[in-house]
Amino acid sequence: MKKSLITILVAVLLSGLTAYAVANGSSKSAAGASSAVSPEMYRTVNLAQTDYPDFTYAAESAVDAVVYVAVTVTSQSNYQIDPFFRFFFGDITPQSREQHGSGSGVIIRPDGYIVTNNHVVANATKVEVTLNSNQTYEAKVIGTDPATDVALIKIEAEGLPVVDFADSDDLRLGEWVLAIGSPYDLRSTITAGIVSAKGRTMGSSSREGGLKIESFIQTDAAVNPGNSGGALVNKSGQLVGINTAIVSQTGSYSGYSFAVPSNIVKKVVSDLIDFGSVKRAVLGVTISDINEEIASDLKLSSRKGVYINGVSEGSTAAKAGMKKDDIIISIGGHDVDKASELQARVNSFHPGDETTCTVIRGGEQKTLNLTFQGTVAENGTVSEDGSVAFYGSKLRKAPKEVLEQLGLKGGVEITSVGEGKLLSAGASEGFIILYVNDQAVSKPDDVIEIARKAKRAIYIEGVTARGKAAYFGFGKE
């Protein structure tokens, strides 16, 4: 009996000690777990209180100034009719057809001036603009600049919302930007991305023919067909570029989009408003980026700058003393590392402007003084004598006495033939233009307008100064 009691007491004592040990170990284990996994780790993160970018201000302040642009192009089924064909078979009534397209635009002035892409409104016979408020206006094309793919249109309205221009030179790689436009007719679409590169060119994938000025902003903001002419804005809602192109094997966005920098756009539209055409300065050099071969041949310590392959006689560069094999490292106080950057800088000047240029020649730096010359007069430019520029030549309304002498009722006289397409096509001074692309003309403006609307070729019929029937033609590009 006594032994049994002792046994029971020992068992109870051991059970109590075991329970105490288990309880004490569990609390220590719990304490250890508490120090290793803090409840702070499971707090819900409030993104509004972090440093994540907030695009609401930029989007809301700019979206009302981005418009939808609808375009109608009316084309003729026949572009040229051989005069011998007309002699035997008579005139053929052209069959017209309409094509429709769309893009985007950005209001830059409250009185209705809107910037878009040249390729959006090129050859348009009708342009309509729809605001973000769904109001629709017919627009007039004020001017275009194929070299930069910029165009200016205008609607008759007042008090419109606008997007202010920013200095695109201040953009930094990795900076956030928004693309606003109407891809696939989805109006007022906003996408975000970063600046992937600056001073980009697009080479053979870009616009074909003629002068091209390319120094694009590359972004990864999603841009698709219909975004062309829309806004690229910074986080402050200011315009840093006009979306103009994508690089894609499918025709849809593949991660790369390109915009014309706002500094280029601002200069082009200012010229179109003030002068009706772009007054473009010309340096008169052929240039390239510096590759390993050039750097080795000229023993250059750096690849910064732009290599001069050649200098045109009598040009701005030649008169300033620039030479082949010079390396331009700055112009107008701005460093240039790529050919596209130099193009963009020169494009910011007007004919007659003066500035300085720093070059490296034979390992030494030299500062040259530049006075910019302009391009050959653009089609439609009126000279002091009243003649009108047309592909390097000059036109005027044929004088009454000349018409009477040749037995004509009306026409346009070529008063001089300079370097250009008319000279190459065989035009001569005194030639009277009677038809351009089968349409009768009586004044230079008729010739300019028909040529502007031509898609592929310009075909001219008339008589020589001796009254002999003649015709010639040439490609537009």
Side-chain angles (χ1 to χ4, degrees):
M1 181 73 178
K2 193 172 184 179
K3 286 185 177 180
S4 298
L5 184 61
I6 292 172
T7 301
I8 292 171
L9 288 173
V10 171
V12 170
L13 181 61
L14 289 174
S15 297
L17 290 172
T18 302
Y20 173 78
V22 170
N24 192 47
S26 299
S27 64
K28 285 181 179 180
S29 177
S34 173
S35 62
V37 183
S38 171
E40 295 294 317
M41 296 181 63
Y42 295 96
R43 286 189 309 172
T44 300
V45 177
N46 185 349
L47 294 180
Q49 297 176 355
T50 69
D51 291 330
Y52 284 85
D54 183 354
F55 301 126
T56 54
Y57 175 79
E60 291 172 357
S61 63
V63 69
D64 286 337
V66 180
V67 302
Y68 175 76
V69 180
V71 175
T72 301
V73 177
T74 303
S75 59
Q76 303 294 334
S77 60
N78 61 318
Y79 294 98
Q80 299 182 28
I81 299 177
D82 189 285
F84 295 105
F85 184 93
R86 181 187 291 113
F87 178 80
F88 287 106
F89 300 102
D91 289 327
I92 295 177
T93 303
Q95 300 297 313
S96 63
R97 61 172 182 163
E98 288 188 349
Q99 295 176 298
H100 301 278
S102 65
S104 305
V106 184
I107 305 172
I108 58 170
R109 279 187 17 177
D111 56 349
Y113 281 96
I114 298 168
V115 64
T116 184
N117 283 144
N118 172 69
H119 76 259
V120 171
V121 298
N123 303 311
T125 51
K126 184 179 181 181
V127 180
E128 283 188 339
V129 166
T130 302
L131 307 184
N132 200 34
S133 60
N134 286 326
Q135 294 172 283
T136 298
Y137 298 83
E138 188 162 341
K140 176 184 178 182
V141 178
I142 300 299
T144 61
D145 183 40
T148 56
D149 200 17
V150 172
L152 184 69
I153 60 179
K154 188 180 188 304
I155 61 175
E156 294 303 320
E158 297 288 341
L160 299 174
V162 302
V163 178
D164 294 328
F165 280 93
D167 186 346
S168 53
D169 288 344
D170 290 340
L171 273 180
R172 301 179 64 185
L173 299 181
E175 181 175 341
W176 283 100
V177 286
L178 301 182
I180 309 176
S182 301
Y184 301 119
D185 289 338
L186 298 172
R187 303 180 190 182
S188 305
T189 295
I190 302 170
T191 56
I194 62 168
V195 176
S196 306
K198 296 169 64 177
R200 283 288 199 223
T201 59
M202 295 175 63
S204 60
S205 64
S206 182
R207 302 172 302 284
E208 297 298 329
L211 172 68
K212 292 182 292 185
I213 296 174
E214 298 183 337
S215 187
F216 294 118
I217 300 165
Q218 180 184 327
T219 78
D220 63 356
V223 169
N224 279 295
N227 271 112
S228 291
L232 187 72
V233 301
N234 59 20
K235 288 197 296 182
S236 298
Q238 298 172 311
L239 188 70
V240 294
I242 294 295
N243 297 312
T244 191
I246 59 177
V247 170
S248 170
Q249 295 181 345
T250 65
S252 298
Y253 174 72
S254 297
Y256 307 97
S257 58
F258 299 86
V260 182
S262 60
N263 286 356
I264 292 178
V265 175
K266 187 175 183 179
K267 193 263 184 184
V268 169
V269 298
S270 295
D271 280 3
L272 292 175
I273 292 172
D274 294 340
F275 310 115
S277 62
V278 180
K279 304 300 180 183
R280 182 164 286 121
V282 175
L283 188 56
V285 293
T286 54
I287 57 178
S288 66
D289 292 333
I290 299 174
N291 57 28
E292 185 174 351
E293 182 181 353
I294 293 172
S296 176
D297 289 346
L298 298 181
K299 296 180 174 56
L300 301 176
S301 58
S302 168
R303 292 193 184 184
K304 291 185 176 182
V306 180
Y307 175 67
I308 304 301
N309 293 297
V311 179
S312 300
E313 186 177 349
S315 66
T316 299
K319 291 181 178 180
M322 200 172 293
K323 297 181 179 180
K324 183 182 182 304
D325 293 337
D326 280 352
I327 305 296
I328 298 178
I329 58 173
S330 74
I331 187 166
H334 296 276
D335 293 343
V336 289
D337 291 335
K338 295 184 287 188
S340 59
E341 292 179 1
L342 178 60
Q343 275 190 318
R345 290 296 174 194
V346 171
N347 186 62
S348 68
F349 293 97
H350 289 99
D353 286 351
E354 297 180 358
T355 191
T356 58
C357 177
T358 302
V359 303
I360 295 178
R361 182 184 300 164
E364 296 182 1
Q365 283 193 17
K366 294 183 178 292
T367 299
L368 307 177
N369 296 315
L370 305 175
T371 301
F372 284 106
Q373 301 177 97
T375 58
V376 175
E378 296 186 22
N379 289 351
T381 303
V382 181
S383 303
E384 293 181 1
D385 61 2
S387 61
V388 178
F390 184 62
Y391 287 107
S393 299
K394 292 184 177 182
L395 311 177
R396 70 172 179 177
K397 185 175 181 178
K400 184 178 179 180
E401 58 272 18
V402 173
L403 294 174
E404 289 178 349
Q405 182 181 352
L406 296 172
L408 302 172
K409 293 182 179 180
V412 178
E413 182 182 14
I414 301 177
T415 59
S416 68
V417 180
E419 285 292 334
K421 294 187 176 181
L422 263 67
L423 176 63
S424 300
S428 58
E429 291 184 13
F431 187 94
I432 306 298
I433 301 174
L434 301 178
Y435 297 93
V436 178
N437 286 4
D438 296 308
Q439 298 180 57
V441 295
S442 60
K443 56 185 184 297
D445 286 349
D446 296 338
V447 178
I448 301 298
E449 184 63 15
I450 295 169
R452 185 183 71 81
K453 292 181 178 179
K455 273 195 168 183
R456 299 178 182 175
I458 297 170
Y459 183 71
I460 294 174
E461 299 173 64
V463 297
T464 66
R466 296 183 178 182
K468 183 179 179 181
Y471 63 94
F472 56 87
F474 51 88
K476 186 172 181 180
E477 296 301 338

